[in-house]
Short mmCIF file of all heavy atoms in Angstrom, two decimals:
data_model
loop_
_atom_site.label_atom_id
_atom_site.label_comp_id
_atom_site.label_asym_id
_atom_site.label_seq_id
_atom_site.Cartn_x
_atom_site.Cartn_y
_atom_site.Cartn_z
N CYS A 12 -8.29 30.12 -1.54
CA CYS A 12 -8.59 31.56 -1.62
C CYS A 12 -9.91 31.73 -2.33
O CYS A 12 -10.73 30.79 -2.37
CB CYS A 12 -7.44 32.32 -2.29
SG CYS A 12 -7.12 31.86 -4.01
N LEU A 13 -10.14 32.87 -2.95
CA LEU A 13 -11.43 33.12 -3.59
C LEU A 13 -11.46 32.56 -5.02
O LEU A 13 -12.31 31.74 -5.35
CB LEU A 13 -11.69 34.64 -3.57
CG LEU A 13 -13.02 35.12 -4.12
CD1 LEU A 13 -14.19 34.51 -3.35
CD2 LEU A 13 -13.09 36.66 -4.01
N GLY A 14 -10.51 32.99 -5.83
CA GLY A 14 -10.56 32.62 -7.25
C GLY A 14 -9.67 31.45 -7.64
O GLY A 14 -9.80 30.91 -8.73
N ASN A 15 -8.74 31.07 -6.78
CA ASN A 15 -7.73 30.03 -7.06
C ASN A 15 -6.87 30.39 -8.28
O ASN A 15 -6.41 29.51 -9.01
CB ASN A 15 -8.39 28.65 -7.23
CG ASN A 15 -7.43 27.46 -7.19
OD1 ASN A 15 -7.68 26.42 -7.80
ND2 ASN A 15 -6.31 27.59 -6.50
N ILE A 16 -6.65 31.69 -8.48
CA ILE A 16 -5.72 32.09 -9.54
C ILE A 16 -4.61 33.02 -9.05
O ILE A 16 -3.70 33.34 -9.80
CB ILE A 16 -6.44 32.74 -10.75
CG1 ILE A 16 -7.28 33.94 -10.31
CG2 ILE A 16 -7.27 31.72 -11.51
CD1 ILE A 16 -7.76 34.79 -11.49
N CYS A 17 -4.69 33.48 -7.79
CA CYS A 17 -3.64 34.37 -7.26
C CYS A 17 -3.00 33.80 -5.99
O CYS A 17 -1.89 33.28 -6.03
CB CYS A 17 -4.20 35.78 -7.01
SG CYS A 17 -4.85 36.59 -8.48
N ARG A 18 -3.70 33.91 -4.86
CA ARG A 18 -3.07 33.58 -3.58
C ARG A 18 -2.89 32.08 -3.35
O ARG A 18 -1.77 31.65 -3.01
CB ARG A 18 -3.89 34.19 -2.44
CG ARG A 18 -3.85 35.71 -2.43
CD ARG A 18 -4.92 36.29 -1.55
NE ARG A 18 -6.25 36.04 -2.10
CZ ARG A 18 -7.38 36.36 -1.50
NH1 ARG A 18 -7.35 36.92 -0.29
NH2 ARG A 18 -8.54 36.12 -2.08
N TRP A 49 -15.42 31.39 -10.70
CA TRP A 49 -15.29 32.20 -11.92
C TRP A 49 -14.15 31.75 -12.83
O TRP A 49 -14.12 32.09 -13.99
CB TRP A 49 -15.03 33.67 -11.56
CG TRP A 49 -16.01 34.22 -10.60
CD1 TRP A 49 -17.29 34.57 -10.88
CD2 TRP A 49 -15.80 34.45 -9.21
NE1 TRP A 49 -17.89 35.00 -9.74
CE2 TRP A 49 -17.01 34.94 -8.71
CE3 TRP A 49 -14.71 34.28 -8.35
CZ2 TRP A 49 -17.18 35.26 -7.35
CZ3 TRP A 49 -14.87 34.60 -7.01
CH2 TRP A 49 -16.09 35.10 -6.53
N HIS A 50 -13.17 31.06 -12.32
CA HIS A 50 -11.96 30.81 -13.10
C HIS A 50 -11.65 29.33 -13.28
O HIS A 50 -10.51 28.94 -13.52
CB HIS A 50 -10.77 31.51 -12.44
CG HIS A 50 -10.94 32.99 -12.37
ND1 HIS A 50 -10.73 33.81 -13.45
CD2 HIS A 50 -11.37 33.78 -11.36
CE1 HIS A 50 -11.00 35.07 -13.11
NE2 HIS A 50 -11.39 35.08 -11.85
N ASP A 128 -6.07 40.29 -0.87
CA ASP A 128 -6.45 39.92 -2.24
C ASP A 128 -5.76 40.88 -3.22
O ASP A 128 -6.03 42.07 -3.20
CB ASP A 128 -7.98 40.04 -2.35
CG ASP A 128 -8.49 39.63 -3.73
OD1 ASP A 128 -7.68 39.45 -4.66
OD2 ASP A 128 -9.72 39.51 -3.87
N PRO A 129 -4.87 40.38 -4.08
CA PRO A 129 -4.12 41.27 -4.97
C PRO A 129 -4.81 41.51 -6.32
O PRO A 129 -4.31 42.29 -7.14
CB PRO A 129 -2.83 40.46 -5.21
CG PRO A 129 -3.31 39.04 -5.26
CD PRO A 129 -4.49 38.96 -4.29
N TYR A 130 -5.95 40.87 -6.54
CA TYR A 130 -6.55 40.79 -7.89
C TYR A 130 -6.81 42.15 -8.52
O TYR A 130 -6.51 42.37 -9.68
CB TYR A 130 -7.83 39.97 -7.82
CG TYR A 130 -8.44 39.65 -9.16
CD1 TYR A 130 -7.79 38.80 -10.06
CD2 TYR A 130 -9.69 40.16 -9.53
CE1 TYR A 130 -8.36 38.47 -11.28
CE2 TYR A 130 -10.27 39.84 -10.75
CZ TYR A 130 -9.60 39.00 -11.63
OH TYR A 130 -10.17 38.69 -12.83
P1 4NP B 1 -7.45 34.98 -5.47
O1 4NP B 1 -7.72 36.39 -6.18
O2 4NP B 1 -8.66 34.72 -4.58
O3 4NP B 1 -6.22 35.22 -4.70
O4 4NP B 1 -7.31 33.96 -6.58
C1 4NP B 1 -8.90 36.64 -6.89
C2 4NP B 1 -9.05 36.19 -8.19
C3 4NP B 1 -10.21 36.47 -8.88
C4 4NP B 1 -11.21 37.21 -8.29
C5 4NP B 1 -11.06 37.66 -6.99
C6 4NP B 1 -9.91 37.37 -6.28
N1 4NP B 1 -12.40 37.52 -9.04
O5 4NP B 1 -13.21 38.26 -8.50
O6 4NP B 1 -12.55 37.04 -10.16
#
Side-chain angles (χ1 to χ4, degrees):
C12 63
L13 183 59
N15 194 209
I16 56 168
C17 299
R18 293 165 292 175
W49 309 285
H50 299 281
D128 182 349
Y130 188 66

